[in-house]
Amino acid sequence: MRIRRLPDTLVNKIAAGEVVERPASAVKELVENALDAGARSIAVDLRDGGAALLRVTDDGHGMTAEELPLALERHATSKLARDEDLDAIATLGFRGEALAAICAVSRFTVTSRARGAAEGLRLAGEGGVVNQRLSVPGEAGTTVEVHDLFFNTPARLKFLKAPATELSASLRMVGQLALAHPATQFRVTNGGRAALTAPAAADLRQRVGALWGWETTERLLAVDRVEHGVQVAGWASPPDVTRGGRDDIVVIINGRPVRDPALLQAVLAAYRPLLPRDRFPLVVLQVSLAPHDVDVNVHPTKAWVRFRQPRLVQEMLVAALHDALRRPGVVPSLGAEPRAAAPTGELGAGAAPSEQAALFHETPAPYIATRFGRVLGQVQETFIVATTDEEVFFLDQHVVHERVIFEQVRAQLDAAPLASQALLFVETLDLGPAARALLGRWRQPLERLGFAFEEFGADAVVLRAVPTLLKGDEPKRLVEAILEEFADPRAGEPTLDRAVAFVACRAAIKANTPLAAEEMERLVADLELTETPYFCPHGRPIVSRVSMHDIRRELKRTW
């Protein structure tokens, strides 16, 4: 076949396939154009989630009668003038192809009046061809109305999801843009019914409250860090406020919401190992840096960006979230500040005090009041009870010990691998291909923790040593538990923290284990020294508390 130039109609359809994946993509592009036009109020009206109708109305500066026809052509824009402008883009849009691509696959009407103009202009057509031009009165601003999206591209049309799914995607997109621009009012309707309302807000916290609810927003932690020309500010949930998906993790770069995988992993790394592997935090972070340090021209929909110093931005996200998660306000009203405590002793597996060596092999040290107050005793041989003048605390002894071991082991690993116990009789592990591959992925962090493996034949692996902390476990069952724990497909990439959390959980004292008073006091004292004394490495809460005020009020009411 001979090479030939493609007709403009086909070129526009190809461009639309890159820019407009679904109704939410069109909503995103049109709302971004409205924001670039200086809009302070944006209304989005949908029908069938945007597949049948989507209309975006703004009160921005509008377009003149001369500009509007040009805006429907590909690569026509007011946002770039010189080559140098591409190196420091400060607007959400810049390519000048979004409106042309949307009109190429829909029946469209575009109406606009520039501020100060006597009247506006309306253009209507289908498939990218304008067949109606009218001068009309109207308010300053622009309205883009899109009917029957993908009517002339049936292959794309058949891949659209159910209207409820498309509506959800559109609302998620508008919600992220609303978080990025709190000073602008947003309203979304679907089928004439309000679906999202976000009044103009004084700051990001008010906008988060309008979208996520004030009860949730009151629990969020302020994030603010400036360093090396990068500012990270926003709000993040404590580890006990989570969601089952990643939709409420929003990272905004210079006013542009992005879904950069590296930034998402940086956020999750900051929460690891505070959360269970199937739970995710609520985070909205605004990252501000010089425009020439970020390249937004790397994806047709501008959803991904590239940084001049990507490692710096990722480390700033982690550091800013660490600052927030380690503040005392992570769990409010916990009484006194932590005290300096004596050095901790070695922790081991628990059994009845009369039948085992003490958990703590050192001379008991005197204890003073802590944030958890005075230890009273044990309930059901599972919960340690402590009290201050204002609150009563119930601490799950297993997760207390798990958190303590986790942080002790993590600190030891910074210096050297953990001590291991060689097995008197080595264990031969017959593993299938999948299990061998999984063990291969985790072998390095496991060996740092004190495991020792050796290849034996084509299909077998020999276990020669286990961590000293776990020497009481049956070795073969221990490895089976490891593979079961790490085989979960939601687990993500192997990390040392996950392996340490597994060892800490196995080594910690269990429920239904009686403890001596000195052992309970030492556990609580050791918990004081941890960086995160309120959640175990898997995200389970350690402490439950009851206010003395609530107890007194309840007693008075029943009396």
Side-chain angles (χ1 to χ4, degrees):
M1 297 178 65
R2 289 184 174 274
I3 297 175
R4 59 183 181 278
R5 189 182 301 276
L6 294 176
D8 289 342
T9 54
L10 183 54
V11 170
N12 286 339
K13 287 184 180 180
I14 294 172
E18 295 178 342
V19 177
V20 187
E21 301 170 350
R22 61 194 308 183
S25 304
V27 170
K28 170 184 178 293
E29 298 291 348
L30 296 177
V31 172
E32 286 181 348
N33 282 345
L35 291 168
D36 283 341
R40 286 293 173 262
S41 177
I42 299 175
V44 181
D45 301 304
L46 306 173
R47 191 166 68 238
D48 291 343
L53 165 71
L54 66 90
R55 181 191 303 113
V56 177
T57 304
D58 68 69
D59 62 351
H61 54 62
M63 291 175 279
T64 65
E66 294 75 23
E67 290 178 311
L68 183 55
L70 191 60
L72 301 186
E73 297 183 12
R74 294 183 67 228
H75 307 306
T77 180
S78 62
K79 301 164 190 177
L80 291 177
R82 302 172 302 169
D83 291 354
E84 293 78 10
D85 295 339
L86 200 59
D87 297 328
I89 294 172
T91 55
L92 296 175
F94 57 90
R95 289 194 174 102
E97 61 179 344
L99 187 56
I102 293 169
C103 292
V105 291
S106 67
R107 297 183 173 94
F108 63 90
T109 302
V110 184
T111 306
S112 188
R113 182 172 77 83
R115 291 176 184 171
E119 59 182 9
L121 177 67
R122 175 179 295 167
L123 301 179
E126 64 178 42
V129 179
V130 176
N131 52 33
Q132 185 183 82
R133 177 187 176 112
L134 293 173
S135 295
V136 294
E139 299 292 331
T142 301
T143 298
V144 179
E145 191 168 308
V146 176
H147 291 266
D148 303 327
L149 190 65
F150 303 130
F151 81 98
N152 56 351
T153 52
R156 178 57 59 90
L157 183 63
K158 71 180 182 181
F159 282 104
L160 291 184
K161 307 296 183 183
T165 303
E166 297 299 341
L167 173 63
S168 177
S170 296
L171 291 176
R172 185 163 56 249
M173 191 66 69
V174 175
Q176 292 181 359
L177 287 166
L179 290 170
H181 300 271
T184 301
Q185 174 181 307
F186 288 81
R187 179 182 61 83
V188 182
T189 65
N190 184 60
R193 296 187 176 186
L196 182 152
T197 302
D203 53 34
L204 178 60
R205 187 172 187 271
Q206 288 189 9
R207 176 53 53 86
V208 172
L211 294 177
W212 290 355
W214 283 104
E215 183 176 351
T216 297
T217 303
E218 288 174 357
R219 295 292 318 280
L220 299 185
L221 311 171
V223 178
D224 193 4
R225 188 182 180 97
V226 182
E227 198 173 355
H228 306 300
V230 180
Q231 179 181 19
V232 180
W235 298 89
S237 64
D240 61 327
V241 178
T242 61
R243 294 285 190 267
R246 297 178 172 87
D247 289 348
D248 289 329
I249 300 177
V250 182
V251 180
I252 301 162
I253 307 297
N254 290 351
R256 180 191 306 278
V258 298
R259 53 176 198 266
D260 187 294
L263 298 183
L264 174 62
Q265 288 305 313
V267 171
L268 296 179
Y271 276 86
R272 188 182 296 122
L274 299 177
L275 299 182
R277 56 181 173 268
D278 58 346
R279 303 298 297 177
F280 300 91
L282 290 80
V283 175
V284 53
L285 296 178
Q286 294 177 323
V287 182
S288 302
L289 66 166
H292 59 76
D293 286 335
V294 55
D295 182 7
V296 301
N297 190 28
V298 296
H299 190 269
T301 65
K302 306 176 291 294
W304 300 340
V305 295
R306 182 185 293 125
F307 299 99
R308 190 181 300 274
Q309 295 178 294
R311 188 66 180 172
L312 171 63
V313 178
Q314 294 164 26
E315 290 177 352
M316 281 292 295
L317 287 180
V318 174
L321 287 169
H322 275 174
D323 290 347
L325 292 170
R326 282 172 170 76
R327 285 200 294 265
V330 169
V331 175
S333 306
L334 280 175
E337 290 297 315
R339 63 172 181 86
T344 60
E346 182 182 352
L347 298 179
S354 60
E355 301 172 0
Q356 64 162 21
L359 280 173
F360 315 99
H361 306 291
E362 63 175 60
T363 303
Y367 293 94
I368 60 177
T370 70
R371 80 178 73 192
F372 300 116
R374 180 168 55 92
V375 174
L376 300 180
Q378 197 180 22
V379 174
Q380 296 182 348
E381 298 182 341
T382 298
F383 302 100
I384 298 171
V385 183
T387 183
T388 65
D389 292 339
E390 299 298 329
E391 293 177 298
V392 177
F393 301 97
F394 297 86
L395 300 97
D396 186 320
Q397 64 193 35
H398 171 71
V399 292
V400 169
H401 200 189
E402 188 177 344
R403 167 53 65 180
V404 170
I405 293 175
F406 176 85
E407 297 204 9
Q408 288 179 348
V409 169
R410 205 64 183 84
Q412 292 175 35
L413 286 173
D414 292 337
L418 287 191
S420 62
Q421 173 70 48
L423 300 179
L424 184 60
F425 300 102
V426 298
E427 292 277 358
T428 301
L429 309 172
D430 294 317
L431 304 175
R436 282 174 60 86
L438 184 62
L439 185 60
R441 289 177 61 201
W442 287 90
R443 184 165 179 168
Q444 184 176 1
L446 289 174
E447 287 180 344
R448 286 190 64 187
L449 291 173
F451 288 92
F453 300 97
E454 184 177 312
E455 304 295 335
F456 183 74
D459 299 319
V461 175
V462 170
L463 176 64
R464 293 193 174 277
V466 297
T468 303
L469 282 171
L470 303 179
K471 60 186 178 183
D473 282 66
E474 202 281 316
K476 185 172 291 189
R477 290 186 180 179
L478 183 61
V479 174
E480 290 174 354
I482 290 172
L483 297 177
E484 181 180 349
E485 169 73 13
F486 298 153
D488 192 327
R490 297 171 297 181
E493 291 301 311
T495 64
L496 183 60
D497 282 348
R498 285 208 62 216
V500 175
F502 173 82
V503 169
C505 184
R506 298 287 295 199
I509 57 175
K510 303 302 187 286
N512 302 312
T513 301
L515 299 178
E518 294 82 3
E519 293 173 326
M520 288 185 279
E521 290 170 349
R522 172 59 71 186
L523 266 180
V524 175
D526 287 345
L527 182 65
E528 289 280 344
L529 299 179
T530 62
E531 291 185 350
T532 311
Y534 310 118
F535 303 93
C536 84
H538 297 99
R540 288 176 55 195
I542 292 174
V543 182
S544 177
R545 56 197 170 88
V546 180
S547 166
M548 295 297 291
H549 173 73
D550 292 341
I551 294 175
R552 295 188 190 101
R553 184 178 59 186
E554 182 65 19
L555 289 175
K556 288 180 181 179
R557 188 181 67 82
T558 55
W559 181 263

